[in-house]
Amino acid sequence: MDSDSPDAPALVLLGHGAPEPRRADAVRNRGKALEAAQRVYRREGIEGLTMQKVALEAGVGVGTLYRGFTDKAGLAMALLDERERQLQELMISGPAPLGPGAEPVPRLVAFVTAYVQLVADQLDLVLMSETSAVGARFRSGAHNVWRAHCRHLIQLAGAPSGDYRAEALLAALSGEMIAHGLREQDKSRTQLADDAVGLARALVVAGPDHDRGPDGRS
């Protein structure tokens, strides 16, 4: 089965939650709030991105902002949606190897490389969205898309335990791991992408170990 098999799971464009129908005024307010949040974030960084400042910048009530986004983490997630959707669109219908038409390992490598860049570009927003609560990273719609994509490619490459290996790979691509590499280990984005690609390749070439004995021998 190749990477374009009809058995491949359909990737659905998701952000941090499927969109719900909204009234026209709610849609306008949300758009204004996101544009204002982006301006505040670019001007003052993640520390300056407060609900009060965004509401003032957008010209909407603070209560309106809380109803639309719940809290600062929800606002951060919404700001990430556009970049994540762009990557998802490329995965679904973009040129190979990120999009369909390539073998599973090159597609996985292309995804990992692109995802490292996405996280590094939006690092503070990613950290906010992933650490707002215990397990927040696992509950996002975007994470479900990344996991399904990685699991599918890992399984197509012939490796077992696709779900577990996909989660292991995504753990290495988390905001905290990327931040540690960039800020504590002083690695470049290229080095981090190379490290992540090496891990991805190791995960897809490792075979089943159910026939090995307790000492690791066949």
Side-chain angles (χ1 to χ4, degrees):
M1 179 173 17
D2 62 26
S3 57
D4 297 320
S5 163
D7 293 330
L11 289 178
V12 179
L13 286 178
L14 291 172
H16 292 271
E20 297 177 356
R22 295 186 178 92
R23 299 190 317 273
D25 60 337
V27 172
R28 284 194 299 271
N29 284 338
R30 183 177 178 84
K32 288 168 59 178
L34 287 175
E35 289 173 3
Q38 191 65 255
R39 291 194 298 270
V40 172
Y41 176 61
R42 287 173 179 167
R43 192 170 64 230
E44 304 184 38
I46 196 69
E47 295 301 325
L49 186 69
T50 67
M51 301 294 273
Q52 290 75 17
K53 287 181 181 179
V54 172
L56 182 63
E57 182 90 13
V60 301
V62 175
T64 297
L65 201 64
Y66 273 101
R67 284 193 296 274
F69 301 98
T70 306
D71 54 20
K72 180 175 175 176
L75 193 57
M77 290 177 182
L79 287 174
L80 284 171
D81 273 353
E82 183 177 352
R83 284 295 305 275
E84 291 179 330
R85 285 174 183 270
Q86 290 172 357
L87 177 55
Q88 291 165 19
E89 287 170 354
L90 289 172
M91 289 158 50
I92 294 169
S93 57
L98 184 56
E103 292 299 310
V105 174
R107 285 199 75 186
L108 187 63
V109 167
F111 166 75
V112 166
T113 303
Y115 190 70
V116 168
Q117 293 302 320
L118 184 153
V119 174
D121 284 345
Q122 310 289 329
L123 187 54
D124 286 328
L125 291 177
V126 173
L127 287 169
M128 172 67 68
S129 68
E130 289 184 351
T131 61
S132 59
V134 175
R137 180 169 69 87
F138 299 100
R139 293 191 292 272
S140 77
H143 182 82
N144 292 335
V145 172
W146 313 141
R147 180 178 57 216
H149 186 60
C150 291
R151 178 183 64 226
H152 179 61
L153 295 177
I154 288 169
Q155 289 173 337
L156 283 179
S161 306
D163 232 358
Y164 184 81
R165 291 175 190 237
E167 288 289 12
L169 178 58
L170 290 171
L173 300 175
S174 69
E176 287 185 300
M177 287 295 290
I178 299 297
H180 178 70
L182 290 172
R183 297 170 178 174
E184 304 299 327
Q185 298 180 314
D186 200 28
K187 290 185 175 182
S188 69
R189 295 183 182 198
T190 300
Q191 287 174 308
L192 289 177
D194 288 345
D195 289 345
V197 164
L199 174 61
R201 290 187 182 279
L203 287 170
V204 295
V205 299
D209 57 4
H210 60 271
D211 56 343
R212 297 180 183 275
D215 61 354
R217 297 178 182 177
S218 300

